[in-house]
């Protein structure tokens, strides 16, 4: 299980039935009681969910909602997806299967944003900065769940910008394009790029799917865990040196319906 201050990815490594729900319930309860506000159940290892498993999922959703958080399910097989639809779990929590993620095409440099706003990150008051950025994200045509996810993803990128630099020149830029929202988080640190082995999807490959621990010892590993979570929450995440000057550019992309962006 990979933990974050606000997010946790919980791998379900076997069928979720009466013989396994107790251990999963203990894990989820510990996370919620510890203040986690986003629990992602990775169902890659599950081919079956019985009534006890469904009861656990609904219980977790209710508990998390009461705390202002969100439980979601990813990597569900077709059989599990059908069970979740029959039980109407899909009406109360985000659920995704094992199909391909949305393809994010390169943005045509000739296309100008409908609007763009930059916010300086205050390294002494991240909460205030998150509130300001949240106001910008609410201008975008996100569902409540998408809003929750993108707020967490941007917050993770902001935390990295402050944690690994002095935060003196870090900023967030939110841009609305006809088919997507682009959020850039930049800093003036020594620069960092995601290593090539970093998983880019949640289709069941690599440590993101719970197939092994990620290195814990250094600051790059710290960022690595955050990057995996950001990639789970956004449609695209790229981490590169800034085009000019010193520092890192984290770009988060979320695809939206063009008509919805035009109305926002």
């Amino acid at each position: 299980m990979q933990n974050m201050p606000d997010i946790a990815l919980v791998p379900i490594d076997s069928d979720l039935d009466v013989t396994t729900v107790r251990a999963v319930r203990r894990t989820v309860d510990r996370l919620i009681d510890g203040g986690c506000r986003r629990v992602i159940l990775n169902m890659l290892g599950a081919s079956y969910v019985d009534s006890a498993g469904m009861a656990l999922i609904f219980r977790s959703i209710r508990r998390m909602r009461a705390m202002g958080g969100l439980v979601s399910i990813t990597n569900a097989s077709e059989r599990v997806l059908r069970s979740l639809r029959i039980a109407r779990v899909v009406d109360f929590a985000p659920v995704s299967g094992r199909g391909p993620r949305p393809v994010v095409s390169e943005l045509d440099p000739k296309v100008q944003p409908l609007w763009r706003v930059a916010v300086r990150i205050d390294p002494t008051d991240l909460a205030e900065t998150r509130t300001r950025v949240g106001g910008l994200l609410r201008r975008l045509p996100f569902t409540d769940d998408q809003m929750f996810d993108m707020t967490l993803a941007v917050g993770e990128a902001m935390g990295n910008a402050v944690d690994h630099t002095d935060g003196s020149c870090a900023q967030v830029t939110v841009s609305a394009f006809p088919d997507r929202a682009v959020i850039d988080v930049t800093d003036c640190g020594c620069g960092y790029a995601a290593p090539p082995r970093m998983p880019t999807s949640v289709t069941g490959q690599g440590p993101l799917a719970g197939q092994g621990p990620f290195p814990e010892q250094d600051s790059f590993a710290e960022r690595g865990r955050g990057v995996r979570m950001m990639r789970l929450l956004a449609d695209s995440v790229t981490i590169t040196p800034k085009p000019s000057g010193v520092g890192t550019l984290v770009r988060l992309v979320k695809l939206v319906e063009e008509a919805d962006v035009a109305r926002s």
Side-chain angles (χ1 to χ4, degrees):
M1 179 182 63
Q2 305 297 330
N3 289 318
M4 300 294 296
D6 297 309
I7 316 170
L9 179 64
V10 180
I12 308 300
D13 297 324
S14 62
D15 291 347
L16 192 57
D17 57 28
V18 68
T19 66
T20 60
V21 291
R22 183 174 299 179
V24 176
R25 182 173 62 243
R26 285 197 299 266
T27 298
V28 174
D29 283 350
R30 184 169 65 250
L31 290 167
I32 296 174
D33 294 340
C36 181
R37 292 298 172 261
R38 178 71 155 90
V39 170
I40 303 166
L41 301 178
N42 184 357
M43 304 290 287
L44 186 66
S47 60
Y48 177 80
V49 179
D50 70 2
S51 60
M54 292 297 180
L56 168 64
I57 292 172
F58 278 114
R59 176 182 181 274
S60 301
I61 293 170
R62 286 194 299 270
R63 282 208 65 198
M64 187 64 90
R65 282 193 171 188
M67 303 297 289
L70 181 69
V71 170
S72 63
I73 297 169
T74 190
N75 277 331
S77 69
E78 283 300 319
R79 181 178 294 180
V80 170
L81 272 175
R82 177 169 172 77
S83 297
L84 296 173
R85 292 189 185 109
I86 292 172
R88 297 188 62 185
V89 172
V90 295
D91 294 339
F92 302 98
V95 177
S96 61
R98 297 177 185 174
R101 304 196 72 189
V103 176
V104 180
S105 59
E106 290 291 330
L107 186 64
D108 186 342
K110 297 178 182 178
V111 176
Q112 296 298 310
L114 302 173
W115 55 266
R116 173 180 287 154
V117 179
V119 176
R120 188 182 74 85
I121 297 174
D122 183 352
T124 66
D125 192 351
L126 282 179
E128 191 275 338
T129 306
R130 283 194 297 268
T131 297
R132 295 179 62 191
V133 172
L136 295 175
L137 295 178
R138 277 189 288 275
R139 295 175 57 183
L140 297 164
F142 291 150
T143 65
D144 289 343
D145 293 339
Q146 290 172 330
M147 176 72 184
F148 195 100
D149 286 353
M150 291 308 295
T151 299
L152 288 176
V154 175
E156 177 61 35
M158 288 170 45
N160 277 343
V162 171
D163 190 31
H164 298 277
T165 73
D166 63 6
S168 60
C169 67
Q171 73 173 25
V172 180
T173 303
V174 181
S175 304
F177 288 90
D179 66 338
R180 71 192 66 192
V182 178
I183 301 97
D184 290 341
V185 180
T186 57
D187 62 48
C188 295
C190 61
Y192 171 83
R197 66 187 179 89
M198 188 68 65
T200 57
S201 69
V202 287
T203 55
Q205 301 299 318
L208 181 57
Q211 295 179 359
F214 208 75
E216 301 278 346
Q217 287 77 18
D218 55 45
S219 61
F220 281 3
E222 292 285 345
R223 284 196 170 189
R225 289 193 297 273
V227 171
R228 285 183 291 154
M229 285 299 181
M230 286 188 282
R231 284 183 168 154
L232 192 63
L233 300 171
D235 290 327
S236 173
V237 177
T238 56
I239 304 178
T240 61
K242 282 171 32 178
S244 61
V246 176
T248 299
L249 164 65
V250 178
R251 172 161 293 175
L252 309 171
V253 178
K254 192 71 173 177
L255 298 177
V256 293
E257 295 293 333
E258 294 193 25
D260 290 339
V261 175
R263 289 194 296 266
S264 64

